[in-house]
Amino acid sequence: MNLPALPLLQQLVVLLAALVLFLSFVLLAQSRLVSAIHAFAWQGALVAAVTAVVAVSGGSHHLYFSAGLTLLLKALVIPAMLHRQVRGLQLEHHTEALQRPTLAIMAAVGLVIFSSWLVLPMVAEELAFTRNILAISLAVVLIGFLMMVVRHQAVAQVLGFMSIENGLFLAAVSATGGMPLIVELGVAFDVLVAMVLFGVFFFQIRESIDSLDVDRLNRLSETSEIAAEERP
């Protein structure tokens, strides 16, 4: 894409979207849980900034409210809730290094290339801006899925899930000029409810197995199944 040929506001949207993608890499590679929450907060702030720029570019006044709501929820409320849950679970100094960090980053780069390849034939050549925004958004979604696979800590997996939602929201706002306000309110409410349920889920796991390592939960389930099979 010839970036200088685009209008200034579209160039700004592409730049902000690229920073959102960069923070997906930061989330994937970050070993400290608290630092990962900070990275997610910045990613949410950038998604809010994209929404505000699209509102200015398209004259969609309801997107200003959407930008403010996104900033409030994803950059302030949800990170604050995660910080509170991390303190309650005594995980402020928790670290979880990737077992194969180089392989994980290479896989993330491959997902970015795959996203560009997948979107290329789906969007007309003259819609270069839409094509690149969709490619970036799809890459953010896929890296979020990758984070949920390679991370074993439940809070980190939730951050991957929330990053997926950021990618979907980025595509919906940037490529389509914004969703109807009632849809955005519904999505925001669903995300907030999911965050509350995740908090309950964290404490229930911690009380049950004294850890938030999902692999330990899987091993416990396998052990229970073996014991049930051996029982006469």
Side-chain angles (χ1 to χ4, degrees):
M1 179 180 64
N2 187 11
L3 188 61
L6 292 176
L8 181 61
L9 289 178
Q10 288 190 356
Q11 292 183 38
L12 182 57
V13 169
V14 172
L15 175 61
L16 292 172
L19 291 174
V20 171
L21 178 58
F22 170 74
L23 284 173
S24 291
F25 280 87
V26 174
L27 276 170
L28 178 64
Q30 184 57 248
S31 60
R32 292 191 68 245
L33 188 57
V34 172
S35 298
I37 295 174
H38 292 160
F40 170 76
W42 279 109
Q43 189 181 60
L46 286 171
V47 172
V50 169
T51 307
V53 174
V54 172
V56 174
S57 177
S60 302
H61 299 293
H62 76 278
L63 285 181
Y64 291 111
F65 177 80
S66 179
L69 184 62
T70 302
L71 181 66
L72 177 65
L73 283 180
K74 297 181 180 180
L76 299 174
V77 174
I78 291 178
M81 292 174 65
L82 286 171
H83 273 295
R84 183 177 179 182
Q85 290 165 8
V86 165
R87 287 194 300 271
L89 295 166
Q90 298 179 350
L91 295 174
E92 299 97 325
H93 305 293
H94 176 81
T95 59
E96 181 196 358
L98 291 173
Q99 294 182 352
R100 297 178 178 86
T102 303
L103 184 61
I105 296 300
M106 289 178 62
V109 172
L111 290 175
V112 174
I113 297 172
F114 172 74
S115 300
S116 300
W117 173 81
L118 186 64
V119 170
L120 191 63
M122 296 173 58
V123 183
E125 186 175 353
E126 59 270 15
L127 299 176
F129 170 76
T130 302
R131 175 188 292 175
N132 283 270
I133 287 295
L134 287 178
I136 291 173
S137 301
L138 180 59
V140 172
V141 170
L142 294 178
I143 293 174
F145 276 117
L146 178 63
M147 184 175 175
M148 294 181 69
V149 171
V150 301
R151 290 295 186 184
H152 303 303
Q153 219 275 350
V155 179
Q157 291 186 347
V158 168
L159 288 173
F161 172 80
M162 292 293 175
S163 181
I164 291 173
E165 199 278 330
N166 280 341
L168 295 174
F169 190 83
L170 179 65
V173 169
S174 302
T176 66
M179 298 177 291
L181 181 59
I182 187 65
V183 176
E184 295 174 4
L185 289 174
V187 171
F189 179 74
D190 288 343
V191 170
L192 190 58
V193 170
M195 195 62 250
V196 174
L197 293 177
F198 281 135
V200 176
F201 179 63
F202 293 154
F203 283 97
Q204 288 293 330
I205 293 180
R206 185 62 178 266
E207 289 181 2
S208 300
I209 63 174
D210 196 31
S211 173
L212 286 180
D213 191 328
V214 178
D215 273 3
R216 287 189 59 182
L217 190 62
N218 292 335
R219 290 194 295 269
L220 181 63
S221 176
E222 292 172 359
T223 303
S224 300
E225 291 177 0
I226 293 173
E229 292 175 357
E230 295 177 349
R231 189 178 305 159

